[in-house]
Amino acid sequence: MELYLFPQLGWFACVLGAANKQVLWAVLGTMAYIAFHVWNLDQPRRSLRLLTRALIYGVVVDTLIVHLVGYLDFQDPWPSAYLSPVWMWVLWVLVATTINGSLSWLRGRPVLGAICGPMSYEAGIRMGAGAWPPGGQTIGFILVGVVWAIAIPLFFYWDRTPIEHGLVKNP
């Protein structure tokens, strides 16, 4: 069961928390929703595998974009200056919780993932949670688009819930 309002609230809480360098309560609240979501599933173990893989993927790609190529800068870099921030980790997991619910319409449409992902980053940046480097917005936007064009089909592959089951469980 996915409560459609909570993923959006989690996104706003984490982004606004990062913009104000106050992520603790946003991260804890969003993690509480994620735990509630998993606890209410018929097959929580399978979902935890997806969420873990999404977490690893997100940490790796965001860290690479920030540190290897330098096309993204996040506010509130806790827990480490060498990794993407924890609030972004939570957002990657949050997205994975919606793969068979509010994001099920992206199944088979990686191009839309390549558009929606960067738009979400841009919205977060405009709210003060991060920044593109000077003159690097276009390349950063493209890099994030590639990351999300890969992420969405990969999350569906990792989940492997037949579309009929996902949509029936998440009307």
Side-chain angles (χ1 to χ4, degrees):
M1 175 177 112
E2 179 183 340
L3 302 171
Y4 294 114
L5 180 61
F6 287 105
Q8 285 82 12
L9 288 175
W11 184 88
F12 275 107
C14 287
V15 168
L16 291 173
N20 294 297
K21 297 189 179 188
Q22 299 287 324
V23 297
L24 178 64
W25 292 111
V27 166
L28 290 176
T30 305
M31 287 174 55
Y33 165 74
I34 292 167
F36 175 78
H37 170 82
V38 171
W39 183 63
N40 281 305
L41 294 173
D42 292 338
Q43 297 181 350
R45 190 170 290 170
R46 182 170 59 182
S47 181
L48 283 172
R49 282 194 302 267
L50 167 65
L51 301 183
T52 301
R53 290 172 177 171
L55 171 65
I56 293 167
Y57 178 83
V59 170
V60 168
V61 296
D62 279 344
T63 299
L64 287 174
I65 291 173
V66 169
H67 296 293
L68 188 60
V69 294
Y71 280 100
L72 191 56
D73 180 32
F74 292 116
Q75 288 290 342
D76 203 344
W78 186 83
S80 168
Y82 302 105
L83 294 172
S84 63
V86 71
W87 61 271
M88 283 298 296
W89 304 356
V90 173
L91 291 182
W92 278 98
V93 175
L94 188 64
V95 166
T97 67
T98 65
I99 211 71
N100 280 308
S102 61
L103 291 186
S104 62
W105 64 277
L106 287 175
R107 187 181 297 267
R109 297 179 177 119
V111 172
L112 292 177
I115 295 168
C116 296
M119 289 174 56
S120 179
Y121 278 60
E122 180 65 23
I125 286 169
R126 288 179 183 238
M127 292 170 69
W132 304 111
Q137 178 180 9
T138 302
I139 294 172
F141 204 79
I142 290 168
L143 286 171
V144 172
V146 169
V147 162
W148 281 95
I150 295 167
I152 295 300
L154 195 56
F155 290 4
F156 282 116
Y157 174 76
W158 285 335
D159 180 61
R160 297 183 190 205
T161 298
I163 192 165
E164 313 81 47
H165 293 116
L167 295 176
V168 169
K169 295 285 184 189
N170 297 296

